[in-house]
Each structure stands twice: as C-alpha cells, then as structure tokens.
Amino acid sequence: MATTIFESIWRVLRSYRWLLAALALLLASYSAAGFLLVPYLARSAIENYVQRDLGRRVRIAKLSFNPFTLTAEVTGFALTEADGAPIASFDLLRVNAQLSSIVNRAWTFREVRLDRPDLQVLVNADRTLNLAKLQPATAARQPPAPSAIPAIRIATLSVNAGRIGFDDRSRARPFATTLTPIEFTLNDFRTAPNFQNAYSFEASTLAGERLTWSGRFSVQPLGSTGRFAIADFKAATIAAYLQDALPFDLPSGALDLEGEYRAALTDKLGLTVDLPTLKLRDIALAPKDAAGAMPWISLPAVEISRASFSLTDRKLAVERIQVDNAKLTVWREPDGQLNLLQLFATRAPAAAAAPAAAAAPAAAAPAVAAAAPSWSLGVGTLDIRAASIDAEDRTTRPAAKVSLTSVGLTVSGYSSEPGSTLKVAASLTVDGKGRVAAEGDLSLAPMTANFAVDVGDFELPPLQPYIAAATAMQLTGGQFSTKGKFSFAAEPAKGKPGLQFTGDVTVANLATTDTASRQDFIKWQALRVIGIDYRHAPDRLDIARIEALKPYGRVIITADQTLNVVAVINPPHAPEGRAPKAAAAAPKADVNAAKAAGGAPPMPMHIGSVQITDGSANFADFSVQPNFAAGILALNGTVTGLSSEPNSRAVVKLAGNVDRYAPVDITGRVNLLSASVFTDIALNFRNMELTTFNPYSGKYAGYNISKGKLTTELRYEVENRKLDAQHHVVLDQLEFGAATNSKDAVPLPVRLAVSLLKDRNGVIDLNLPVTGSLDDPQFRVGPIIWQAFVGLLTKIVTAPFALLGSLFGSGEELAYVDFNAGSAALPADQQDKIAKLSKALVERPQLKLDVPLQTLSPADDVALAQAAFDAALAPLLPAGGMPATPPERQAALAQLYQQQLGAMPEYPGPSSPEADTTNADIAFLEQALRPRFAATEAERNSLARARADAVQAAVLSNTEIMPERIFLTERESGKAATAGAARMELSLQ
C-alpha cells in the first residue's frame, strides 16, 4: 500500500519536474537576494549616505536579513564624527516584519528591538547640536510635505540597556551627564485612530536620579495619558547645568515627585498634570561664587500635596504646601539692600548672547499674552512649621541682631481670583523668649487685613543699635507686650478708617542709662496703656487708661549748662535737621503751636486717666559748685479727662515728696494735650530744706545757707495763650553762712534784703506774679521769674524804708527824722514816725539801725549863732520881760560892744539930717558883734550828738528793741527838705 502511494507521488513529480526546477531556482534566487543582496545593498546605502551626505563615518559589524522570517538584524552599529567622536551606536537592532501586513492593511511588525543603544548629544561651543547635522543640508532647506500617517502595527517595541550622554560645551564650564540604563517597552503599538498604545519607560543617571514613565498614547489624535515619577533628582544637577544663569548656588538638595498627566494635541496643546506629591529634601541656597559659604536659605523638607496644572484652563492649584524646619540667614547691608535679593538677582549668561534678531519677537510677546486669559492660581494651605531666621541689620553700628525661632505660618484659601480672602495664622519666638502671634483675614485686591495680634515678653535691648543711632541712650532692659486687633484697608469705605488698632500695650522693666554719665536715665517697673483705639485716615487716638508703676527719670544740667535730656535725645551724631540744643528747639515749639492753631487741626486725642504709682525723679546740676542734687519720691496720683478738644479740662491730682520729707502736690485742671489753650494748675512744695539749694545760693547770692525751710505755692493760669502766674514763696528761718565770693553773685546786699524780708518769726513771705503771652517768642517763664526776684531785691535794698513803710505806714518817710534848726528836740510828728520805725524794727529783728552822729545843716549854724548872741545880750536889756525900745536896745548893744571889743563904738555919721540915727546905730552894732558869736565846732558837735541821742532814746523807748541793734556812727547828714530845718538820714543794716 505504501509503495503504491510513493510511486504515485513520484510519477506526479516526474510529470512536473520542470515546475519544481523553476521553484527551486526561484527559492534559491530569493534566498540569495534576501540573505546576501539585501544586507549588501542596505550596508552600501547606509555607508554611502553617512559618508557622502552626512560627512560622518559609520561602522556596522553585521547586517543580516532573513527573507523567510522577514527579520532584519544590525549588530555592532557605530556612527561617529569624521574625527572618530561617537554620535550613536547600538549592539543590536532587530526588526521582524509580518506577512499579516497584507491582511491587516498595515505595516505589521512582531518585534522591534534595540539593545544597548548609546546616543551622544553634543552642544557645541557655537550652540549648534551635533544631531542636527544628521540631516543633509539640502533636505534641511526643504520643508517636509504633509502626508497621511501610515498604518503601522508593532506587537512589541523595546529599548534595552540604553544610554544617552549629554555634553554641553556652549557654557563657561562644560556640562556633561549620562542617562543610563534606559529601558523602554511599547506593546501592541498601532497608529489606528483612537487606539491606546501602552508604554513604559525607565531611566537613571550615574548620580542615582531615576525617572519612570508609563501610560498610553494615541497617534490619531495625538494624545497621551500616564503616570511619571522622578526620584532623587539632585539640585547639584540643576546648578551644574544652569551655572551662571542661576543667580545662586545649590550646594545640596534633591527632588522627588510623582504624578499623572493628560495631553492632547488638536488645534492647540491641551495638557493637564496632577501631582499627588512633590517633595524637596535638604534644599540649600547659597550666594553665588562664594566657596564654602553657609547657605542663606535651608529647606530640609518641603512637601507639595495634590498639585494640579491645566494648560487648557490656565489654572494651577495646590492643595497643600508644607515647609518644615526651614532656616533663613538674612541681613540688611549698610546701603539698605537685603542679602536675599542677591540670590534672585538676574544674571547675564556667561556665553555669547543670542543674536539680536531674536529679541525682536520678544517685544511683541506682551501683546500676545495680553490677549490670552489670565492664569488662575490657588493654594489651599501653606504651612510653614518650626522655621528659624537669623536676622541682622548692618545699617546700624553695631549691627542689630535678632534670632527668630519656632516660626510658624499657616495661610489658607489663597486664590488669584478677585475678592478672595486668606486665613492667616503666624507665630514665632524672638531671641528664645519673646513671643509674637497673629491671626486673621487678608485680602489682596484691594488690600485689606483684619488681625488679632498678641506680643509677649519681647525683649527691647536688641533694639539698642537703632536707639544709639538717634540718641545717646543705652537701653539695658525692658519687655514689650501688646494684645489687640489690627485692621487695614487700602480703599476704606466712606467714613471708615484706613488703619485701626485696638488693644493694650505694656512695657515692663524698662531700664535706660545716659551714655555719657552711665547712670540711670529713664526707667519704670511697668507702663500699661489700656484700651487703645487708634485710627488713621481719619486720624484719632483714644486711650482708656495709662498706668505707670514706679516711673523714674533723671534730669541733669551738665558742667557746660547743657540739659542731659537734650544731649540724650539730640546727640552730636544725630541726623541733620535735628536741633542740637533745647534753647533752639524750645522757641519753635510755641511758634509751631501757633502755626498749628491756624493750620491743619491736630489729631484728636482722648485719654481717660493716667495713674502714677510710686514715681520718682532725680535732678542734678553740675554747672554749680558744689553740685546740686534733689529727688522726688513717692509720687502718686492721677490725671483724668485728657483730651485735645479745646474745651476739655483734665483734672490733675498728684502728690509726692522732695528728698523724702518735703511734701509736694500738684492739683488743678489743665488741657495737657493743648496746654496753651487752658491751664489752671497749682504746685505746692512744703518743708524743703534750704541747705539743699546751697550750690545756687553760693553761686548767685554769694553766701551759703546754714539753715532754713522753703514752702511754695505756685499757680499757673493760661487762657487762650495768655499766662497769669502766681508764685507764693515762704522762707522760714533762712540763715546765711560763709561768703563764697562767687563772681556770679548778684551785686546786691543780700543779707540786708533777707533781714528786711524776714519777719519777727524768721519768715519771709513773697509773692511774685508773672503775666505775658505765650505767642511772644521772647517770653520765658523761668527767666522772667528770676528777673522779678532780682528786681524785688534791688528795690528792697535800694529803698529799704519804703518796704518798712509799706508794711507799717509812713512810707519812705521812715528813712529820715526832721529837726528844727539849732535844736535837738524831736517834734511831735517825728516822735510818731520813730514810734512806727520802732515797731518795724521789732517786726524785723535782724535789722540794725544806723543813726548818724553828724546831722547838721547851714540853718543850724545860723540858729546856734543867733542863740549865743541873744544869750549875751539878754542880761544887758531892761528886766521885766517887756520888749526893749530902740534906744534901750541901742544902749545894750553899745554896752555889749564895749565888752567884746574893749572900746566904745564909733558910729558912722548920719546919711542926712532927717535920718533915724537910732536904727542905723543898732544895725551898725549888730553887724559888728555877730561875727563874735558864730557857732563853734564844739557847739555843732554837741548839737549833732544831742540829736543822735534823742533819736536813739526815742527808738529804744520801745523796750522790745535791744540797744545793741542801734548804732551811732560818724556819718554826715542834715540836708533839709526846707530852710530852717535839719534832716537826719537813717540807714539799715
């Protein structure tokens, strides 16, 4: 049976042997062409194209084609530059085509495989790309003609163990990196419409950076969806590539991210990217080209969660950004610039700039961008936790430094959409102790803010460099605290403030010193400002209460008569424009106030009450020797109802002590915020030791004070800038000690003035009124009070009896006693005058009366001569007391003539027969006799002495006056106000 079958077959073959021969020949030809000719022709075409058209060199270890399996393989392929520099290579390329392409009506491949591909991408120094030269120049000039996408099907496309080398020599420092191994798989690829092709891609760099990418894509239309992930992407890689284009250095850091994307290209590109997580690790930003410099910004951990990007909708949204343990080092340079700005300053690239022509299209870019819709940005939450900032301000000397730790910031609900509102919460610690917290709402367009602010235990000494720049004060202690609400509106509603703060402020344990003296300047235990309501635009300040606990101030007049307050606030190094002297600044205050009265109204201010508890102050004057010092202690009280309204009246009630045992109180009503409008204030000082003022007494009075007490009652009334000041000064038991011989002493007999002013109880009671206008630039209360005091002393010592007369009657007439010519007897009216003088001396027990021993006038000589003449003539006249007749008088005169001259008188003859010879003889005799009876010196002295004795006796008739207070001195007086009298001029010591 079998034999029969084979025989049959053989007979058939024998009958078609010519056909078999033909088939064998065809198969042999097909095999020879496929196995030999195709590889030869392909190799020749490739080599000719590379060498002739590209000017490169190519090496192919083996090129084969299996015509029966339709499999082509290329092994050992290497494409190099003419000089041998590598461009591309691979170990194996296998392409397996399928006859099913006919059935599928598509180019169908079962496998496309590429093993160990190696591509070297080179950017030359002229910025040309080596791969761009793989296309012939003629072809590059011809734009490709549009063509339909061919139908292709690939069962498996894979790239195995690939490598891409990148070398950029266009940069100042060449950059090179390698991506390997590269693995790519594409299964069941088709170019059919809407067919989703699955792919996966993996690659790594030599630095350990990894990229994975998988998903699906379609060719018609062109689009893709998938997932990607980048792991451990080094910041150093970015820095090495960008080089000078990056304005800062990235010494460390890495990025991890994973996400999904959707892309579609129709008439425009549509792209959506979702990033479930993006992490930055150990990012550090350091100054450029500062080798070894510490980073200015350190970000140990930054995590961005659920970020999405839509190019179609022009929208970027982030659900959460979390920054942990960030650290910033920031300072302000002496020119005011921030160092961190240097990290983001634009730098010109080191390599040659792109051709200028490229800049022209950029100019048109804004117009294009303007037509596109704006981007929308939204961030759900920004959370900065446990950050720290080391800040330094180098504009001051020394630099101001502050350390901010535990910095936390949470911002929620950010959106670039108009009208959106942010929720903000922030907190930090200052220098390890002070705390700052704020929480509230913030809107950006237009800008509005509403925050609750809480600051506690903020140490003030770190602010010393700023204080030293403007003052000569050293801030050695103090803590600032505040709690309140702050609001701001860039475009406030009508009638609403643009800025407002309500709350409380406390400054505790403030301590400052005067830099020059290194002694306490201003300090307090606590200053609390409670119930603040400050508003700006329109401006207004309301304060419910101010409490000052143990406030202290020290005021010093230095040796050069400069006030320490002025020297501290306006030191020599103060910026230009600040007045260096109080004397220069003080007049301007009044002038400015006057200008303010006619210009813009001052900010309305209201303060409910100011309470001072246990206040104190020290005053020292080093311009006098010895130095003067006094202190105010235990100052307590309140000032209520402070207001800048012109009709407001604040009630002042303050009480304390000067040097512990001298009470002082200040009471009254005043508009302290507009004191020039209204003031009615009284200042009372009691029981002050006058020895405290010895430095001033020794300098200006010329004597030290050995004892005494001072009490003053001062009252100042101001009404519409008109001052009426009353100064009631009482000095009790003032006693001067040794003279100081001060060249600054007033040229007045101060002791006499004190004796005149001091009553029998040792009390001096003075009233010194001062009036004037505060608008007068020459009006100064202090100098005017001193002038008034000196004027009073001058008036007293130059007219002391006027003072006594004003107190006890008779006015200036107490200064003299009038005597009848030739008499020592006191007339009745003069006796009354001396009685008043005696009373005045009793009331001024320190006064001493000086009675002159030489009180004589020309009328006294006439009266004494007349008395002696009458005494000599009287015995010679007829007895009986009747007036003598002319003949009797002539006879008596003739007899006296004979007694005095020792001869009978020789009368001149009559002038005429009718002349009265008797009267002529009397006149002759008196003329001859009177020179014989002129007053002698003894008579004059006796009269003067008798007058002094009479006055002394009259004064001492008041037994309350001790005799030792009355002095008879060899002093001349006697000039009478009228003829026929002599005036005794008294003086006081």
Side-chain angles (χ1 to χ4, degrees), residues 795-813:
K795 183 178 180 180
I796 289 173
V797 298
T798 55
F801 289 99
L803 172 65
L804 297 178
S806 66
L807 296 175
F808 306 104
S810 299
E812 295 184 358
E813 294 181 359

Side-chain angles (χ1 to χ4, degrees), residues 274-293:
D274 294 323
L275 299 175
T277 179
L278 186 154
K279 295 180 180 180
L280 301 175
R281 293 179 285 106
D282 299 323
I283 297 294
L285 278 66
K288 195 71 174 179
D289 300 328

